[in-house]
Amino acid sequence: MTREQITIDTSGPPTVPARKVADPKPSLLLGEHSLCPGCGEPVALRLLLEVLQELDIVQRTIGVVGHGCYGSFVRIMDVDVLQCLHGRAPSCATGIKRVRPGCAVFTMQGDGDMANEGLQEVLHAAARGERITCVLLNNGVFGDTGGQLTATTVLGQRTKTSLAGRDAAAHGFPIPVADLVAGLEGSAYVARGAVSTAGGVAQTKRMLRRAFETQLAGDGFSLVEILTMCPTGWFVPANEGPGYLGGSLEQSYPLGELTT
């Protein structure tokens, strides 16, 4: 193809009228979020809602939300959602799915909620092969309570309770939740994505879709870990969040599908 063939003439108005190809946001989003500038969790929420709409399962979807900044999403998402005790979302989702097996059931949890408060819950749900989808929003800090160290904080990462950076001798090594879950027989699909780049956003959406398709097919447990930005908890400017994520969390938690 020559350069002339791909050049767009901008000397006058377009000859073909513009047409709308997509909504600016999912219709399931009822308002604006109240989270910090640069936070990656609203991006993850949008991807989740887009997948539910594209799969046409909104009317039979039930979500279970843990405790974290994302807890405020229950006010702006037009999906049936309930909030449970800290860390107990997989158990609550298990009960819902067993009572309503025809529903698509998911959890939305932060790393503090899933890894610190309820690691046993997600591991046992995966080991049992529960047909639910868990979404882990991992930024390596307890964002809702001020930015303290969590079980997934990577080595060298500064938090309010590890000002010099996480040290293995003092704090132990980070726990790779998705890797643990992927090694269990009941896990049908496990993947790790990120929302720090345009390519990562597109990849993560495909992972979420695959996870729900796995659940709908009755194949077993599914989990998508999403690395998200938290500039406030990381002590970095909002515009540096994506770069910080790529240079820290993503180095310890490589992106991709852990089971297929």
Side-chain angles (χ1 to χ4, degrees):
M1 180 177 290
T2 66
R3 183 177 179 83
E4 289 73 24
Q5 289 175 305
I6 62 173
T7 299
I8 299 175
D9 183 10
T10 59
S11 61
T15 56
V16 178
R19 62 187 181 89
K20 180 180 178 181
V21 296
D23 292 325
K25 66 180 182 65
S27 60
L28 297 178
L29 274 176
L30 303 179
E32 298 294 330
H33 69 81
S34 58
L35 302 189
C36 301
C39 179
E41 294 183 351
V43 182
L45 172 65
R46 176 176 179 139
L47 298 180
L48 174 64
L49 297 181
E50 287 178 347
V51 167
L52 296 180
Q53 285 187 305
E54 291 172 8
L55 291 176
D56 195 23
I57 57 174
V58 177
Q59 297 304 317
R60 58 188 181 106
T61 294
I62 301 175
V64 185
V65 178
H67 283 262
C69 299
Y70 51 88
S72 63
F73 289 162
V74 298
R75 298 184 286 106
I76 62 170
M77 54 192 293
D78 192 12
V79 178
D80 287 335
V81 181
L82 59 88
Q83 192 164 26
C84 66
L85 294 174
H86 212 350
R88 304 305 184 256
S91 292
C92 189
T94 294
I96 295 172
K97 185 69 175 184
R98 292 190 180 192
V99 173
R100 302 288 298 275
C103 289
V105 182
F106 72 89
T107 74
M108 180 181 292
Q109 301 171 259
D111 47 296
D113 185 84
M114 181 180 285
N116 284 70
E117 304 294 340
L119 182 59
Q120 75 283 358
E121 304 290 339
V122 69
L123 292 181
H124 284 289
R128 295 193 303 267
E130 300 293 347
R131 292 169 176 81
I132 60 176
T133 298
C134 290
V135 178
L136 167 59
L137 305 177
N138 184 9
N139 53 30
V141 293
F142 275 105
D144 194 35
T145 54
Q148 299 89 349
L149 178 145
T150 73
T152 68
T153 301
V154 299
L155 295 180
Q157 182 179 343
R158 296 181 63 216
T159 72
K160 293 288 180 62
T161 48
S162 60
L163 292 177
R166 180 170 191 160
D167 175 68
H171 309 111
F173 290 92
I175 296 176
V177 177
D179 300 81
L180 295 179
V181 171
L184 299 175
E185 291 292 335
S187 296
Y189 181 77
V190 180
R192 181 184 292 120
V195 293
S196 51
T197 66
V201 168
Q203 180 187 49
T204 300
K205 183 175 178 179
R206 291 192 292 270
M207 291 173 173
L208 286 168
R209 184 182 180 97
R210 180 83 180 274
F212 277 100
E213 289 174 340
T214 297
Q215 178 184 167
L216 296 172
D219 293 337
F221 181 85
S222 57
L223 178 141
V224 178
E225 176 181 348
I226 305 176
L227 303 183
T228 61
M229 295 79 73
C230 182
T232 302
W234 294 345
F235 309 100
V236 301
N239 64 332
E240 296 180 13
Y244 181 90
L245 187 151
S248 58
L249 271 73
E250 195 173 322
Q251 300 305 306
S252 296
Y253 304 120
L255 309 183
E257 294 180 318
L258 282 70
T259 61
T260 55

